[in-house]
């Protein structure tokens, strides 16, 4: 019988966290039919013994467990393991779990935590590039390219545990940044003749330098609230091969004009920042993008 929801669980050397992870599956209060699809990606620890132990408990509670995997010398990566776990599963909906997650309900964001099988078949599969590839981010971008939207709940339904061996740490910050800038240039900037970068500091200048020459030529100004930056009057891109070197004005945010790309750290977007946006009467989704 086909399950309503398949929990997709890639596993690689997850012995320290598997008990808690699988317990969270057992404790779900979902009233429909649930299936756990596990794919073991060349684990060398006791992960498989733990999975077999929990298979008995889970199936005793009515949760079908499907187990696949390989024992090659090296793992194939999270993207590959997710794709294999999906292929061997049957659910109409996919709930993505990880051995370092504990799940207290379906999921918090669509599509990288929860989506229909039909939609995944439309936008997927996950990138199988292996270590260092942000497969979930790339799937998310493909989802947006296909016209998908984002769903979230304000409740905390999923906990994430960071540890030194987590695959997350293999993805370089520069890799994430590059993907985000390219997606910005693909999806938003072609629609704007000019735009302003909100932040004349480190993050804003980094964004400017990361843009292609075509996109940089659309930047008419930086804006900021820091009087020292504003008094300087401009930012000169010293490493540019252009002659003369680009000199971009730095304005007070009240003197700047939309559209904006807001380039700040998330922990800086507090009440004062929101008040500044409201004072400009910006229309969300048309006049600015938040890039952090």
């Amino acid at each position: 019988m086909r399950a309503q929801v398949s929990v997709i669980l890639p596993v690689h050397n997850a012995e320290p966290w598997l008990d808690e992870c699988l317990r969270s599956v057992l404790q779900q209060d979902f009233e429909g039919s649930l299936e756990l699809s596990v794919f073991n990606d060349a684990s060398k620890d006791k992960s498989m013994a733990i999975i077999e132990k929990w298979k008995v408990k889970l199936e005793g509670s009515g949760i079908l467990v499907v187990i696949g995997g390989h024992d090659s010398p090296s793992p194939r990566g999270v993207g590959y393991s997710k794709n294999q776990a999906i292929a061997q599963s049957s659910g109409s909906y996919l709930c993505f779990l990880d051995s370092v997650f504990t799940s207290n309900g379906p999921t918090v964001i669509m599509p990288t935590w929860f989506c229909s099988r039909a939609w995944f078949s439309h936008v997927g599969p996950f990138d199988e590039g292996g270590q260092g590839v942000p497969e979930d981010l790339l799937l998310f971008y493909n989802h947006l390219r296909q016209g998908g939207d984002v769903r979230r709940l304000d409740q905390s339904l999923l906990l994430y545990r960071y540890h030194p061996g987590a695959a997350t740490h293999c993805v370089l910050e520069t890799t994430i940044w590059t993907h985000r800038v390219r997606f910005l240039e693909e999806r938003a900037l072609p629609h704007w003749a000019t735009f302003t970068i909100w932040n004349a500091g480190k993050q804003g200048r980094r964004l400017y330098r990361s843009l292609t020459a075509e996109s940089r030529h659309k930047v008419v100004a930086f804006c900021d609230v820091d009087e020292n930056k504003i008094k300087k009057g401009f930012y000169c891109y010293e490493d540019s091969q252009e002659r003369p070197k680009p000199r971009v004005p730095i304005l007070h945010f009240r003197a700047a004009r939309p559209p904006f790309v807001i380039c700040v750290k998330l922990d800086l977007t507090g009440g004062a920042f929101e008040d500044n946006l409201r004072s400009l009467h910006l229309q969300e989704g048309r006049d600015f993008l938040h890039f952090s």
Side-chain angles (χ1 to χ4, degrees), residues 191-217:
H191 302 290
W192 295 346
T194 62
F195 65 96
T196 300
I197 295 178
W198 187 308
N199 186 357
K202 182 178 179 181
Q203 287 291 102
R205 297 194 304 268
R206 181 187 182 192
L207 173 60
Y208 177 82
R209 295 192 300 267
S210 300
L211 297 171
T212 62
E214 180 181 359
S215 296
R216 284 199 302 272
H217 291 158

Side-chain angles (χ1 to χ4, degrees), residues 219-258:
V219 179
V220 294
F222 290 88
C223 70
D224 213 293
V225 296
D226 187 323
E227 292 296 336
N228 291 327
K229 294 187 182 77
I230 296 167
K231 285 179 181 177
K232 184 177 179 181
F234 65 89
Y235 166 66
C236 181
Y237 182 21
E238 296 290 354
D239 293 334
S240 174
Q241 300 302 309
E242 297 180 52
R243 295 293 183 271
K245 295 181 184 296
R247 291 161 64 97
V248 185
I250 301 175
L251 308 175
H252 189 278
F253 78 91
R254 293 184 185 277
R257 294 289 179 266

